[in-house]
Amino acid sequence: MFSLAAIVLTLIGGSSAARMRGLPNQKVVNPNLNATHAAIQSASRHHNTPCTCDANNPTWIPPTRTVPKCIFIDLGAADGNSFRAFLSNSYGLVSGCPSGGQWEAWLVEANGQFTSALAAEQAAHPQQVHQLGATAAYMCKGTTSFSIDPDVAHNRWGSSMKVDHGVHKVSVPLVNVIQLIAENTIPADWVMLKVDVEGAEFDIIPCLAQFPNARLVDRMYLEEHTWLSVDSAFTKQQYEQAKASLKTAGVDIPVYFSHTM
């Protein structure tokens, strides 16, 4: 059992992946996928987005492993601070992960100043930590302009692909979060998705909701930057409907806010 007592505004008891999922091998399919996915693709073409939602690609290769574990996917990983909190049991007892405490982590961070720190975490935990430094989390693959927050005092915490700080911009590749989940998780895993991406969540979450196996995610720690004015491929209504759809599918989305990146 993986009991959660995370750094969130609500305290939520955990459960085993098997219990939360019901039948581990049962595929979760969105019956409205074709119509809604087509609508989303059409909508995203009319907004300033670097690429369109890709939520169901036949070229993706699912993992072949059968041994379940905890999977911690950190979008907006900064220098690895949330990952270290995960190791310190802030997201639940690591010893309670499936298969005797086995785990893996994917650390995605667009700000290249943190790449060396993430590489150090990967070196310290070979075969367990996979760092994607100088890479932005998004709903498709491509490249984007990423604006670096000049606020050094707060560790440049507002750096974003959706907000222009007008000082320093870099071009970074995009990783498709849905593909990352599809190719690295199995139904028996306990999957935690932390999303702190300074406005890109308003594109990622509606696209994730169109993924037929979105239920692979057990718990999503979603920091919503509602105070930002961003150009999203989706309307606010579509975003809220996507969250509702994910919750209905069984994805737990507790209230979450972190004072770090």
Side-chain angles (χ1 to χ4, degrees), residues 48-106:
N48 185 24
T49 56
C51 51
T52 58
C53 170
D54 186 4
N56 188 32
N57 195 313
T59 66
W60 296 345
I61 303 173
T64 57
R65 66 177 171 85
T66 57
V67 177
K69 59 182 70 175
C70 282
I71 303 292
F72 185 70
I73 301 174
D74 190 353
L75 311 181
D79 62 357
N81 47 16
S82 294
F83 167 66
R84 291 189 292 275
F86 163 74
L87 289 183
S88 298
N89 302 314
S90 292
Y91 289 87
L93 292 176
V94 176
S95 61
C97 286
S99 307
Q102 292 195 37
W103 60 269
E104 267 184 275
W106 272 261

Side-chain angles (χ1 to χ4, degrees), residues 33-43 45:
L33 174 65
N34 292 335
T36 54
H37 186 63
I40 281 176
Q41 290 283 18
S42 177
R45 291 191 190 100

Side-chain angles (χ1 to χ4, degrees), residues 29-226:
V29 177
N30 182 344
N32 298 315
L33 174 65
N34 292 335
T36 54
H37 186 63
I40 281 176
Q41 290 283 18
S42 177
S44 60
R45 291 191 190 100
H46 293 85
H47 290 77
N48 185 24
T49 56
C51 51
T52 58
C53 170
D54 186 4
N56 188 32
N57 195 313
T59 66
W60 296 345
I61 303 173
T64 57
R65 66 177 171 85
T66 57
V67 177
K69 59 182 70 175
C70 282
I71 303 292
F72 185 70
I73 301 174
D74 190 353
L75 311 181
D79 62 357
N81 47 16
S82 294
F83 167 66
R84 291 189 292 275
F86 163 74
L87 289 183
S88 298
N89 302 314
S90 292
Y91 289 87
L93 292 176
V94 176
S95 61
C97 286
S99 307
Q102 292 195 37
W103 60 269
E104 267 184 275
W106 272 261
L107 311 180
V108 184
E109 172 55 52
N111 190 340
Q113 78 170 63
F114 297 119
T115 300
S116 59
L118 298 181
E121 296 290 1
Q122 180 173 282
H125 305 279
Q127 311 301 318
Q128 290 179 291
V129 170
H130 314 274
Q131 68 91 11
L132 296 175
T135 302
Y138 202 49
M139 61 179 178
C140 44
K141 295 177 69 174
T143 59
T144 191
S145 175
F146 186 80
S147 182
I148 305 297
D149 186 351
D151 185 358
V152 178
H154 291 97
N155 215 15
R156 303 185 189 274
W157 61 358
S159 300
S160 172
M161 65 177 282
K162 287 291 188 176
V163 177
D164 185 358
H165 293 284
V167 180
H168 182 200
K169 289 184 180 180
V170 295
S171 179
V172 297
L174 298 168
V175 62
N176 186 335
V177 175
I178 298 91
Q179 180 179 4
L180 185 66
I181 294 168
E183 295 190 329
N184 295 286
T185 68
I186 62 175
D189 289 334
W190 176 263
V191 179
M192 293 160 280
L193 178 64
K194 194 215 88 177
V195 184
D196 186 4
V197 287
E198 304 302 317
E201 67 270 18
F202 299 116
D203 288 335
I204 294 172
I205 302 310
C207 188
L208 174 62
Q210 306 312 310
F211 177 37
N213 293 318
R215 183 58 187 88
L216 285 168
V217 177
D218 287 288
R219 183 159 291 158
M220 180 164 60
Y221 297 99
L222 174 62
E223 181 164 325
E224 297 177 291
H225 300 83
T226 54

